Amino acid sequence: MGGEEGNGGGMTKRMWWGSGAARVAPVVVLLMGAGAVRAAEQTCVFCEIAAGKGAAEASVVYRDERVVAFMDRAPRNPGHVLVVPREHADDALTVPPATLGHLVQVAQRIARAIGRTDLKAEGFNLISNNGKAAGQTVFHLHLHVVPRFAGESATAAAGEPRPVRPAEELAAIAAKIRAALAP
Ligand code: 5GP
Ligand code: ZN
């Protein structure tokens, strides 16, 4: 059938590209050298925040030896937190499974803490976009904890461009969440 022929052709093309990329990748890594790889890691915005660099430090709500959580600078709603591994991983496929588990546990604690603040969230999204096709724009794994309110559009919390909020506003909300997390 015509359809099967079409699929077969597509598969051959994908396999050809796949094997080509596999041959080229080690050469690219060799050409980049260790220094260039380190430089590439240093330009990751979430690695910088995890390392305590930059203005986002004021909006950190939680930190331990494996993860850090901080305010999304362009929140979907007030209280929108990102939880990230401190060690760089592009996405949920490449992060060590134990770290992914810890990330989810910390996200749960943060969602509970947000519920104890005066933000008055009535629900929350716990989501992670993996890959460009899924809406990932920062290629350092992160879980979004997004407070939600009755009457809002029920669509997913990512996607549409949102304004970056003033640092003082983010820091003030972070302080509330930090206080609610305290034992
Ligand atoms: P993604 O679309 O990859 O799932 O989500 C990336 C999120 O990171 C977006 O919600 C965006 O607002 C947030 N973001 C991007 N750059 C920064 C930054 O430099 N600082 C902070 N705090 N959030 C950022
Ligand atoms: Zn990173």
Side-chain angles (χ1 to χ4, degrees):
M1 280 166 64
E4 280 167 9
E5 244 174 62
N7 287 342
M11 177 63 83
T12 308
K13 199 172 178 189
R14 275 197 297 279
M15 286 170 70
W16 185 85
W17 278 109
S19 56
R23 273 199 306 273
V24 168
V27 178
V28 170
V29 169
L30 275 178
L31 286 177
M32 281 176 79
V37 170
R38 261 197 307 280
E41 279 171 3
Q42 276 162 13
T43 58
C44 169
V45 62
F46 289 177
C47 277
E48 299 219 324
I49 294 172
K53 293 182 195 154
E57 186 58 18
S59 77
V60 168
V61 299
Y62 175 87
R63 178 189 290 281
D64 66 24
E65 68 287 352
R66 274 187 288 171
V67 309
V68 59
F70 53 90
M71 307 311 298
D72 192 307
R73 68 176 181 174
R76 168 72 166 78
N77 272 329
H80 182 168
V81 169
L82 302 173
V83 191
V84 313
R86 288 177 66 173
E87 184 145 332
H88 182 93
D90 287 351
D91 54 35
L93 292 180
T94 52
V95 73
T99 304
L100 183 59
H102 185 57
L103 218 59
V104 174
Q105 287 175 17
V106 169
Q108 183 192 47
R109 284 183 58 193
I110 288 168
R112 280 211 184 98
I114 290 171
R116 289 195 288 266
T117 68
D118 63 359
L119 290 169
K120 298 199 172 11
E122 294 161 276
F124 65 93
N125 293 116
L126 180 55
I127 59 167
S128 176
N129 301 319
N130 288 264
K132 197 172 173 213
Q136 186 174 9
T137 57
V138 176
F139 292 86
H140 178 130
L141 172 65
H142 49 283
L143 290 187
H144 295 258
V145 183
V146 186
R148 299 301 302 268
F149 301 87
E152 284 186 88
S153 135
T155 52
E160 75 279 21
R162 301 175 302 263
V164 172
R165 303 301 306 174
E168 315 80 64
E169 178 185 309
L170 298 173
I173 297 176
K176 288 182 187 185
I177 299 173
R178 273 200 308 273
L181 273 168

